Amino acid sequence: MNLDCVLRHDGRNWVAEGRELSVAAPTLEELDQRLAERLRSSGQLAPGKRLQVFMAFDNSTIPQWIRQYAQHYFNRIVTVTG
Amino acid sequence: MSEEFKSGSGSLTSDSLEADDVLAGAEPWDPVETKLVLWSLAIAAVVLVIGLFVVPSSVLH
Amino acid sequence: MATMTNRKWYTGMLSQEDWWAVWMGLFFFGLGLLTCFNIDVIGWVTYPTKWVFSPPEGGKGAISSAFYALGKKYAYDPDAKAFYKGLGWWSIIWTYVALTVVTTVGAACMKWDVKKFVQGWTVLFFLTIAVWFVGHHAFFAATIINKHKYGLDFSLSLGGGASFILALIVGLIIGNFFKGFAGFLSEAAKPEWYIKTAIVFLGVKVGYLPIKAAATSMKLGKQVAGLTGDLFFAGAVATIVAYMVFWPGVYVISRKIFKLPRKTAAVLGSGISICGVSAAVATGGAVRAKPVVSIMVSALVVIWAVIELIILPGVFTHIWPGTSDPLVAGSAMGMAVKTDGADAAAGELLDEFLRTKIATETNGAVQWPEGIITTSAVMTKIWIDMFIGLWAFVLAMVWVYKIDRRPGETVPASEVWHRFPKFVLGYFAAWWIYLAIFFGPGHAGAAEGMTLLKMAKAGAVPVEKGLRKLFFMLTFMSLGVITDFKKLKEAQFGKMVWVYFVALFLFIIPVAVIIAYLFHHGMEIPNMAG
């Protein structure tokens, strides 16, 4: 099972947003932990199961004048376990 | 489309940038960094030697 | 809020500058190719010539012919030639209309503010044309060989370089002293978009160079084709060596001397090393730095790049290596000057300076073809633009698996493609298609291929000469407009400004020159004067 979400940075926190899901944390480690907790508590992640989360970075976070030089920041795949 | 995007500033505006830890708080040097630096220098050395032999316009030719 | 994410391999084909440089470049390249079928719909491209207020009797330089449609000189079909001859200064309007339509479609697809873009673009275009005109006054542009034709006893011998310098100066004045006006132009002041398009046009130039040389002799044509091939290989190897020396060097300087955190040092290492903003963003993403790190480094890079653009072409021309090793100078430029725009602009300036210098030194006995030195500067840059995607992938794996060691995270291989500079595809396509015409139906310049090669020339020249130089001019102007030197003073950069200064002048530039020398020393540019 896979989950797709958009990742951005609001200046202080990394924010991952998907359908009916939004978690924020100052570091990616904490973000991943909070995401796993949220998925467990919402029942989307059953105990012992694994879920692959694809996080596509939202490049509109980067100022427009920079986007002409580079159009990609990073995408990441995180596997969370229930 | 957001106003920030239209105005070209991106969703990160200068008010929301927290830049203090960008310059401060250097971590101690880790052995893996030594490895990274040496590996890239080694790649440079290998490509340099092969390149000098292979590229027809190099000083060796 | 609208998001801009890269999910599929084709994401961004209609919404990113990089792709739009390919579409715009290949569109005009395609229009040019039609002349091979005797359809000339490209000869309207405007081009300036040297002028003076009062030309001597029987001499050159009337203001009335200061701009002309390139088809007047290069069209193959006599009817087309006659038509383009009649355009004169009107060719500016033709060029404006054609480029406005194409760039505006691009701006709309990229979801820019179209009204603001068209307004900014219109002012930027005509301002650029005005500067192009002034820069071609014979006082600036004529050399000691041809100044007498314009009735001058003295000229600055800057060739086409004068217009580029003026465009940069005018742009910088606007960017630093008329910030309201710079804001008005900002939606259209996109140096990186213009230079990427110009690099696709440069692909036309590299492919066309053998065709041009073949008009002198078949042997010369093949010699030039061989030289561009050599630059391709030498550029690849030199760039990889340079980058793999630069990056760890700057990383160590940042970490050990300036005591910067790891992620900042990694991003600086790439930003200062070679490819500036694109590398800073790619590396920032790779090491999962907060975007602010890449943004700060990028702001620094664009300013230092312009400082290099101002200093290096003159140094390489007049101090070392000068005309004795022009391709060492060109490729070193590609490895030393950050950002595609500033590098290609510096390469072009160097091209103008060195060609003018050699012609002056030999009293016209040696004439180098335009664009080979620019090509050497751009070749190294293009390789690094491609290489950074791979290096960023390696760094991402090192950071995710070895340094941060985040459990459960993997680095998708598609990252390499998302970071690949797409405009490079347009550059290679344009180059190799013209090269295929030269070696294929053009019979490498043998008599039976010459008719086709002359027809191909009619379509190539307006693109590789007219549009390419115009887009370089737009790049110089918009680079100036977006460069605000005051940003260097902003306190939060403090330490980084110094890292940059030390790394650039004491490490990067000397190493770039040495590596360029190792791979390009002794490469000679063919003499077109016979």
Side-chain angles (χ1 to χ4, degrees):
Chain A
M1 191 184 165
N2 290 313
L3 186 74
D4 207 62
C5 59
V6 173
L7 180 71
R8 61 186 173 85
H9 195 273
D10 68 2
R12 287 175 208 284
N13 290 313
W14 295 99
V15 183
E17 286 167 316
R19 224 197 279 170
E20 297 168 13
L21 175 93
S22 177
V23 278
T27 66
L28 288 171
E29 288 81 1
E30 288 170 76
L31 185 81
D32 295 350
Q33 283 168 12
R34 281 184 201 179
L35 181 71
E37 283 161 20
R38 185 71 60 85
L39 290 171
R40 277 183 218 117
S41 63
S42 68
Q44 281 176 277
L45 183 61
K49 296 270 181 203
R50 290 155 73 90
L51 183 68
Q52 214 177 48
V53 184
F54 178 73
M55 295 187 191
F57 190 81
D58 179 6
N59 294 305
S60 62
T61 304
I62 309 271
Q64 196 193 350
W65 73 268
I66 292 183
R67 271 179 252 147
Q68 58 179 321
Y69 298 87
Q71 60 290 317
H72 185 67
Y73 202 51
F74 67 94
N75 293 340
R76 61 197 294 259
I77 298 171
V78 180
T79 310
V80 286
T81 324
Chain B
M1 187 143 307
S2 72
E3 275 312 301
E4 293 96 321
F5 178 53
K6 276 189 178 166
S7 67
S9 62
S11 65
L12 277 181
T13 58
S14 53
D15 308 336
S16 64
L17 290 180
E18 203 177 65
D20 301 344
D21 60 344
V22 171
L23 299 177
E27 311 86 342
W29 185 268
D30 191 281
V32 74
E33 294 176 85
T34 312
K35 238 176 159 180
L36 181 63
V37 165
L38 291 181
W39 265 107
S40 53
L41 289 175
I43 295 171
V46 171
V47 178
L48 175 68
V49 172
I50 297 174
L52 285 175
F53 280 103
V54 174
V55 173
S57 59
S58 86
V59 282
L60 287 188
H61 293 268
Chain C
M1 147 156 196
T3 57
M4 301 170 72
T5 52
N6 290 314
R7 290 171 182 276
K8 302 275 191 275
W9 66 269
Y10 51 81
T11 304
M13 278 193 168
L14 285 178
S15 60
Q16 292 174 354
E17 282 94 339
D18 208 7
W19 277 112
W20 267 98
V22 178
W23 306 141
M24 194 152 73
L26 289 184
F27 175 71
F28 289 110
F29 155 79
L31 284 189
L33 268 191
L34 291 177
T35 58
C36 294
F37 306 97
N38 212 15
I39 302 167
D40 191 333
V41 285
I42 192 75
W44 43 263
V45 174
T46 196
Y47 200 70
T49 51
K50 293 187 268 296
W51 59 277
V52 279
F53 285 107
S54 41
E57 195 106 342
K60 287 169 124 186
I63 292 183
S64 58
S65 51
F67 276 95
Y68 68 101
L70 280 164
K72 170 190 167 186
K73 217 167 160 181
Y74 297 98
Y76 181 77
D77 179 66
D79 292 339
K81 199 168 198 146
F83 173 76
Y84 291 131
K85 194 175 176 186
L87 286 184
W89 277 74
W90 285 103
S91 58
I92 295 173
I93 301 298
W94 278 66
T95 308
Y96 167 71
V97 172
L99 293 182
T100 305
V101 170
V102 179
T103 52
T104 306
V105 170
C109 287
M110 290 186 274
K111 308 239 174 6
W112 296 354
D113 183 335
V114 172
K115 191 177 156 203
K116 204 177 166 207
F117 174 80
V118 174
Q119 289 171 345
W121 159 262
T122 302
V123 174
L124 194 75
F125 178 89
F126 286 104
L127 199 59
T128 303
I129 291 284
V131 171
W132 217 8
F133 171 67
V134 174
H136 273 75
H137 187 283
F139 173 75
F140 296 117
T143 62
I144 55 165
I145 302 156
N146 55 26
K147 66 186 179 195
H148 62 275
K149 289 183 193 161
Y150 302 92
L152 295 179
D153 296 322
F154 177 77
S155 68
L156 292 178
S157 289
L158 291 169
S163 304
F164 294 140
I165 296 170
L166 274 179
L168 185 64
I169 292 172
V170 171
L172 284 173
I173 291 172
I174 295 170
N176 286 273
F177 299 108
F178 299 92
K179 290 183 184 167
F181 187 41
F184 170 77
L185 295 176
S186 64
E187 197 74 357
K190 297 284 163 58
E192 201 68 6
W193 189 33
Y194 299 142
I195 204 62
K196 285 175 176 174
T197 310
I199 289 175
V200 178
F201 296 148
L202 184 70
V204 176
K205 159 128 246 157
V206 185
Y208 162 71
L209 275 171
I211 299 177
K212 181 180 178 171
T216 309
S217 78
M218 194 175 161
K219 190 180 152 207
L220 202 61
K222 285 185 173 169
Q223 203 182 333
V224 171
L227 178 65
T228 51
D230 285 348
L231 283 175
F232 178 79
F233 290 115
V237 179
T239 305
I240 295 172
V241 175
Y243 191 75
M244 298 316 282
V245 174
F246 289 163
W247 190 88
V250 178
Y251 186 81
V252 172
I253 292 174
S254 315
R255 290 278 286 145
K256 296 271 187 190
I257 302 176
F258 289 92
K259 309 278 181 228
L260 288 173
R262 273 185 207 131
K263 289 183 179 181
T264 308
V267 176
L268 261 178
S270 288
I272 306 179
S273 283
I274 295 193
C275 38
V277 177
S278 57
V281 175
T283 309
V287 304
R288 313 308 193 225
K290 294 195 296 185
V292 61
V293 180
S294 293
I295 295 170
M296 284 172 70
V297 173
S298 299
L300 204 57
V301 165
V302 289
I303 296 175
W304 276 107
V306 172
I307 294 174
E308 284 183 275
L309 162 62
I310 294 168
I311 296 173
L312 286 185
V315 171
F316 285 176
T317 304
H318 297 291
I319 298 176
W320 193 85
T323 50
S324 64
D325 242 338
L327 297 176
V328 170
S331 64
M333 195 72 88
M335 289 187 275
V337 181
K338 269 33 79 178
T339 82
D340 300 330
D343 163 55
E348 181 78 355
L349 207 50
L350 185 71
D351 195 286
E352 295 283 353
F353 286 170
L354 284 177
R355 281 188 301 108
T356 311
K357 193 177 179 207
I358 190 84
T360 309
E361 282 172 355
T362 60
N363 216 1
V366 177
Q367 303 273 357
W368 286 337
E370 263 182 52
I372 291 193
I373 299 167
T374 311
T375 302
S376 67
V378 170
M379 201 69 89
T380 37
K381 182 63 76 202
I382 279 180
W383 277 112
I384 195 64
D385 284 343
M386 293 191 280
F387 182 69
I388 183 63
L390 277 179
W391 182 241
F393 185 64
V394 172
L395 284 182
M397 293 200 289
V398 170
W399 244 265
V400 170
Y401 303 141
K402 300 280 176 196
I403 295 182
D404 287 346
R405 291 197 203 101
R406 257 188 303 278
E409 178 166 359
T410 43
V411 182
S414 59
E415 293 290 273
V416 177
W417 169 247
H418 288 313
R419 293 209 179 93
F420 185 85
K422 314 299 184 300
F423 73 97
V424 167
L425 301 174
Y427 170 79
F428 285 136
W431 173 8
W432 290 340
I433 289 173
Y434 270 106
L435 204 61
I437 291 173
F438 175 71
F439 281 113
H443 297 276
E448 61 266 41
M450 279 317 277
T451 307
L452 178 76
L453 292 184
K454 281 182 187 161
M455 289 162 91
K457 175 184 177 177
V461 174
V463 178
E464 63 86 18
K465 190 183 178 89
L467 288 179
R468 184 178 63 92
K469 293 222 173 178
L470 178 55
F471 272 79
F472 267 101
M473 284 294 293
L474 288 163
T475 304
F476 274 94
M477 182 72 84
S478 29
L479 258 180
V481 170
I482 66 160
T483 305
D484 181 356
F485 287 117
K486 219 177 153 194
K487 284 185 187 159
L488 268 190
K489 278 194 191 163
E490 285 175 19
Q492 60 171 349
F493 289 146
K495 215 193 261 184
M496 281 211 265
V497 174
W498 285 106
V499 182
Y500 213 115
F501 178 81
V502 170
L504 186 64
F505 287 100
L506 302 181
F507 179 57
I508 302 276
I509 294 176
V511 174
V513 171
I514 293 169
I515 294 172
Y517 183 87
L518 289 177
F519 287 100
H520 297 80
H521 171 59
M523 284 178 94
E524 280 181 17
I525 303 177
N527 180 9
M528 303 296 274

